[in-house]
């Protein structure tokens, strides 16, 4: 599989091809651009906000009280992904925001750079097994695949994870070919960084195992530097994973065993449904112009010895993805992102196969252009989802809060609102209370865990009076889940105009079905508490305990 990629001519040629490919993919993204706020999967707003946290952490450097700083920050801005996801991406994002600002665009740009790195490694990988034209077409089809195209545009962890995966795969395979120790160390570091980006490390371990078995390369397990590289990867991961699992392991086990927020959609499904979920989803997501050559190429790579000899790394990648995620309780299309590079290569193999049925060599080039152009057209024309309105509501709240340290927000997309408040309030004066922390609590979803902290309207009024927020923001109607206590909060606000005045309502602009006809209603408190609560505390169901902190009268970020 080894090819000479070290000559200057090859390096220049590769750089030109890569630059052209990335330019084409960037153009497709630009044609599909749609202004939006962070919302995707309700995780994106946490990913952005946690980056802001790390930016503030790097700026203030509270080395003597890191745990207390993180707790206090979360109590003020309860929309962080700390412990829910590993911290690596957030640390990089925080540094990036320190340099380029806390805008959503900055975070999206960082993800795009990770995607560019992933495509670069995919190009180099395919060049090792095939040729330059195959590598270029593979990158193009992978980048234009609907799921990859989507996740390149949003601040999610998948594309950074794919970058580390392809880096680990490339250097591991190069180590098998050439035996250069530097490659196994780079592969180990990339594997560790992947595990510090997403909790999907088992998938990469499966890939390594499949490769060793497939190629019968157990001889490398007798090399000391291989075990040293493995210890290096563990040294990166274990110091983070052990305390993280000790604190939040219960929630992660629950998600693994019972599934995530959408687990109810899969209740009662048959075993065949789970076994066929990811293949069916791939056929739906790979793109209409790519699906036929993709299927043909996969079977050619699997069944034809001549093609299997060069395609085995991609078959191993596909097998590891399938085995790694099919048997988890949470089946979700984003998990299959790791096999899209492999199936993009299989599409190229399918084009080769079909072209071989014709006598003229130009057929292959024509088919490649047709499939690539179709994929580009499909990606550029695909409807782009957007959600807008939370930033406008946050601006209103900040401009009209003058007699309280607190505002309260209850809604499915509370993380976006909290992010907008923090971004628009550089002095960090306001504290955002969440209805689903003060009045009730949910673990992942109401099915995962639900607990109420107020026994009806009277206690809701008492809770609100206790904290005395100037303004209360609620999504109307509820989005995502229908939660009894959240509905009681809305009914209580509407039923007591003598205490809460509806002062503004902002429509949520969106083409996402769940947000259609949703508005952000803002109520002002008319009956004020002269001695409001000076301590914020609430139960963390994932931690199994309560957290809290005092709110100083003249609070600022420097006194946190």
């Amino acid at each position: 599989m080894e090819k000479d990629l070290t000559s200057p001519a090859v390096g220049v040629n590769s750089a030109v091809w890569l630059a052209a490919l990335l330019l084409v993919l960037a153009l497709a993204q630009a044609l599909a651009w749609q202004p939006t706020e962070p919302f995707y999967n309700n995780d994106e707003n946490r990913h952005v906000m946690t980056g802001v946290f790390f930016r503030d952490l790097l700026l203030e450097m509270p080395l003597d009280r890191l745990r207390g700083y993180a707790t206090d920050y979360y109590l003020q801005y309860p929309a962080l992904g700390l412990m829910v996801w590993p911290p690596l991406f957030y640390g990089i994002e925080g540094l990036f925001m320190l340099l380029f600002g806390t805008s959503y665009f900055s975070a999206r740009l960082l993800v795009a750079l990770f995607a560019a790195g992933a495509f670069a490694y995919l190009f180099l990988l395919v060049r090792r097994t095939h040729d330059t034209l195959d590598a270029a077409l593979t990158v193009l089809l992978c980048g234009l695949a609907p799921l990859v195209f989507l996740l390149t545009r949003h601040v999610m962890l998948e594309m950074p994870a794919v970058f580390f995966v392809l880096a680990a795969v490339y250097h591991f395979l190069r180590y098998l070919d050439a035996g250069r120790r530097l490659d196994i160390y780079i592969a180990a570091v990339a594997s560790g960084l992947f595990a510090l980006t997403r909790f999907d490390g088992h998938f990469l371990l499966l890939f390594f195992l499949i490769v060793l078995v497939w190629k019968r390369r157990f001889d490398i397990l007798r090399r000391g530097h291989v075990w040293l590289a493995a210890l290096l990867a563990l040294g990166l991961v274990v110091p983070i994973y052990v305390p993280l699992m000790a604190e939040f392991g219960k929630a992660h086990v629950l998600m693994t065993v019972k599934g995530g927020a959408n687990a109810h959609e899969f209740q009662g499904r048959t075993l065949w449904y789970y076994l066929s979920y990811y293949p069916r989803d791939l056929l739906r997501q790979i793109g209409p112009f790519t699906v036929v050559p993709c299927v043909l190429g996969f079977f050619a790579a699997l069944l034809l010895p001549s093609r299997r000899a060069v395609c085995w790394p991609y078959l191993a990648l596909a097998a590891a993805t399938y085995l790694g995620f099919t048997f988890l309780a949470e089946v979700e299309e984003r998990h299959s992102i790791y096999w899209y590079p492999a199936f993009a290569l299989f599409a190229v193999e399918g084009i080769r196969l079909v072209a071989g049925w014709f006598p003229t060599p130009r057929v292959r080039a024509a088919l490649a252009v047709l499939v690539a152009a179709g994929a580009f057209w499909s990606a550029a024309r695909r409807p782009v989802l957007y959600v807008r309105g939370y930033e406008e509501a946050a601006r209103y709240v900040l401009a009209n809060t003058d007699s309280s340290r607190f505002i309260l927000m209850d809604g499915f997309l509370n993380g976006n609102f909290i992010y907008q408040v923090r971004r628009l309030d550089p002095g960090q004066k306001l504290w955002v209370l969440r209805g689903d922390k003060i009045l009730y609590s949910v673990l992942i979803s109401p099915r995962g865990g639900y607990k109420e902290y107020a026994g009806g309207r009277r206690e809701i009024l008492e809770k609100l009076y206790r904290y005395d927020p100037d303004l209360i923001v609620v999504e109307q109607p509820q989005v995502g889940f229908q939660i009894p206590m959240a509905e009681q909060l809305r009914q209580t606000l509407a039923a007591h105009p003598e205490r809460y005045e509806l002062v503004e309502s902002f429509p949520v602009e969106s083409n996402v079905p769940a947000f259609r006809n949703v508005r952000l209603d803002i109520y002002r408190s008319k009956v004020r508490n002269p001695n409001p609560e000076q301590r914020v505390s609430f139960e963390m169901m994932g931690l199994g305990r309560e957290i809290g902190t005092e709110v100083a009268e003249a609070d600022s970020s420097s006194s946190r």
Side-chain angles (χ1 to χ4, degrees):
M1 191 174 69
E2 178 69 28
K3 293 185 179 182
D4 181 14
L5 303 179
T6 59
S7 68
V10 170
V12 171
N13 191 33
S14 296
V16 172
W17 274 103
L18 272 174
L21 290 168
L22 296 178
L23 183 61
V24 170
L25 293 174
L27 176 61
Q29 289 284 358
L31 291 174
W33 182 264
Q34 177 68 255
T36 184
E37 298 170 20
F39 76 93
Y40 185 76
N41 203 56
N42 206 24
D43 292 343
E44 185 180 22
N45 45 73
R46 264 68 178 172
H47 297 324
V48 177
M49 185 61 207
T50 311
V52 178
F53 162 76
F54 271 90
R55 178 261 182 197
D56 293 339
L57 179 69
L58 291 171
L59 189 64
E60 299 180 34
M61 294 298 287
L63 299 179
D64 58 332
R65 54 181 307 270
L66 288 175
R67 186 186 184 94
Y69 179 88
T71 300
D72 291 353
Y73 197 101
Y74 180 76
L75 287 161
Q76 183 173 4
Y77 302 112
L80 303 180
L82 298 174
M83 297 187 294
V84 180
W85 295 279
L88 177 65
F89 173 75
Y90 304 127
I92 299 172
E93 186 184 23
L95 180 60
F96 201 78
M97 286 183 168
L98 194 61
L99 298 173
F100 300 104
T102 59
S103 70
Y104 178 40
F105 178 80
S106 292
R108 295 175 81 176
L109 177 60
L110 176 61
V111 171
L113 292 176
F114 269 111
F119 298 143
Y121 263 117
L122 178 59
F123 181 86
L124 295 175
L125 178 61
V126 178
R127 280 209 50 163
R128 292 185 64 80
T129 59
H130 292 65
D131 59 33
T132 300
L133 292 178
D134 286 345
L137 186 56
T138 299
V139 169
L140 205 55
L141 295 182
C142 182
L144 294 173
L147 183 61
V148 177
F149 193 75
L150 173 71
L151 293 174
T152 300
R153 186 168 58 243
H154 287 287
V155 185
M156 299 291 286
L157 302 179
E158 280 73 19
M159 292 315 297
V162 169
F163 166 74
F164 292 120
V165 164
L166 290 177
V169 167
Y170 174 76
H171 287 284
F172 181 70
L173 295 180
R174 199 162 78 160
Y175 172 76
L176 292 182
D177 286 338
R180 287 176 288 201
R181 295 188 180 189
L182 179 60
D183 282 315
I184 195 64
Y185 288 124
I186 295 176
V189 170
S191 300
L193 297 181
F194 168 56
L196 293 178
T197 302
R198 282 184 59 86
F199 292 114
D200 293 343
H202 67 288
F203 143 76
L204 200 48
L205 290 175
L206 271 174
F207 171 80
F208 293 145
L209 179 60
I210 290 171
V211 168
L212 292 180
V213 172
W214 194 315
K215 301 302 291 182
R216 299 180 182 178
R217 290 299 308 271
F218 297 107
D219 61 291
I220 70 170
L221 298 180
R222 295 193 295 269
R223 302 174 186 176
H225 60 270
V226 171
W227 289 103
L228 186 60
L231 289 175
L232 176 61
L234 286 175
L236 291 173
V237 175
V238 170
I240 302 297
Y241 268 44
V242 168
L244 192 152
M245 289 301 171
E247 284 282 354
F248 208 66
K250 174 184 174 182
H252 289 296
V253 171
L254 179 65
M255 182 174 292
T256 301
V257 175
K258 293 187 176 182
N262 63 340
H264 63 282
E265 299 175 10
F266 304 101
Q267 289 186 346
R269 301 289 189 177
T270 64
L271 177 61
W272 171 248
Y273 179 87
Y274 284 93
L275 292 175
S276 63
Y277 176 86
Y278 286 113
R280 287 186 290 105
D281 185 69
L282 172 73
L283 295 178
R284 182 175 63 87
Q285 282 284 352
I286 195 66
F289 290 88
T290 311
V291 63
V292 173
C294 174
V295 172
L296 291 175
F298 170 72
F299 283 108
L302 187 64
L303 301 176
L304 300 179
S306 62
R307 302 320 303 162
R308 189 165 60 244
V310 293
C311 292
W312 67 265
Y314 311 98
L315 291 169
L317 193 61
T321 304
Y322 180 79
L323 295 173
F325 298 104
T326 293
F327 301 102
L328 296 182
E330 183 185 48
V331 289
E332 190 170 345
E333 64 183 17
R334 290 183 296 120
H335 291 159
S336 65
I337 190 73
Y338 305 114
W339 71 9
Y340 274 80
F343 279 97
L345 183 278
F346 295 146
V348 175
E349 286 288 324
I351 292 172
R352 181 196 302 274
L353 178 67
V354 173
W357 299 341
F358 299 89
T360 173
R362 295 183 178 180
V363 171
R364 183 181 173 192
L367 286 175
V369 170
L370 177 64
V371 172
F376 182 93
W377 178 83
S378 178
R381 287 178 55 87
R382 178 174 284 261
V384 178
L385 301 178
Y386 64 89
V387 172
R388 297 189 291 264
Y390 292 79
E391 178 181 357
E392 189 178 7
R395 288 186 184 278
Y396 178 89
V397 167
L398 287 166
N400 291 275
T401 299
D402 51 21
S403 60
S404 175
R405 294 157 296 178
F406 300 123
I407 54 177
L408 186 140
M409 199 280 174
D410 187 72
F412 180 77
L413 212 55
N414 53 64
N416 179 20
F417 178 81
I418 293 169
Y419 160 68
Q420 302 294 350
V421 169
R422 165 61 193 90
R423 185 176 66 85
L424 298 170
D425 181 24
Q428 304 179 47
K429 302 298 183 183
L430 283 182
W431 289 61
V432 184
L433 305 175
R434 275 172 51 183
D436 60 335
K437 296 295 184 184
I438 303 300
L439 301 174
Y440 62 96
S441 188
V442 171
L443 181 60
I444 304 172
S445 75
R447 293 176 180 270
Y450 173 67
K451 186 175 182 179
E452 294 183 350
Y453 305 122
R457 292 187 182 182
R458 179 177 178 181
E459 291 190 17
I460 290 175
L461 292 173
E462 290 175 354
K463 286 270 189 179
L464 296 179
Y465 184 76
R466 172 185 166 190
Y467 285 101
D468 191 41
D470 245 354
L471 298 172
I472 300 169
V473 184
V474 295
E475 287 173 348
Q476 186 67 283
Q478 289 189 69
V479 177
F481 307 117
Q482 295 301 309
I483 300 175
M485 182 54 63
E487 189 58 35
Q488 285 194 53
L489 169 63
R490 286 153 178 76
Q491 293 173 359
T492 301
L493 294 172
H496 292 275
E498 77 284 358
R499 300 190 62 161
Y500 299 103
E501 176 188 5
L502 180 62
V503 293
E504 191 58 85
S505 185
F506 294 93
V508 175
E509 302 174 15
S510 179
N511 59 355
V512 179
F515 290 93
R516 287 175 184 164
N517 302 316
V518 172
R519 63 185 188 274
L520 297 173
D521 287 344
I522 303 181
Y523 291 85
R524 179 175 294 281
S525 300
K526 298 170 67 176
V527 178
R528 307 310 300 268
N529 183 352
N531 298 298
E533 178 64 63
Q534 297 189 27
R535 176 178 174 81
V536 175
S537 62
F538 46 76
E539 181 182 4
M540 295 289 293
M541 294 184 71
L543 298 180
R545 59 183 172 84
E546 182 180 282
I547 61 173
T549 190
E550 301 296 325
V551 181
E553 194 66 39
D555 182 80
S556 67
S557 60
S558 61
S559 63
R560 197 190 307 281

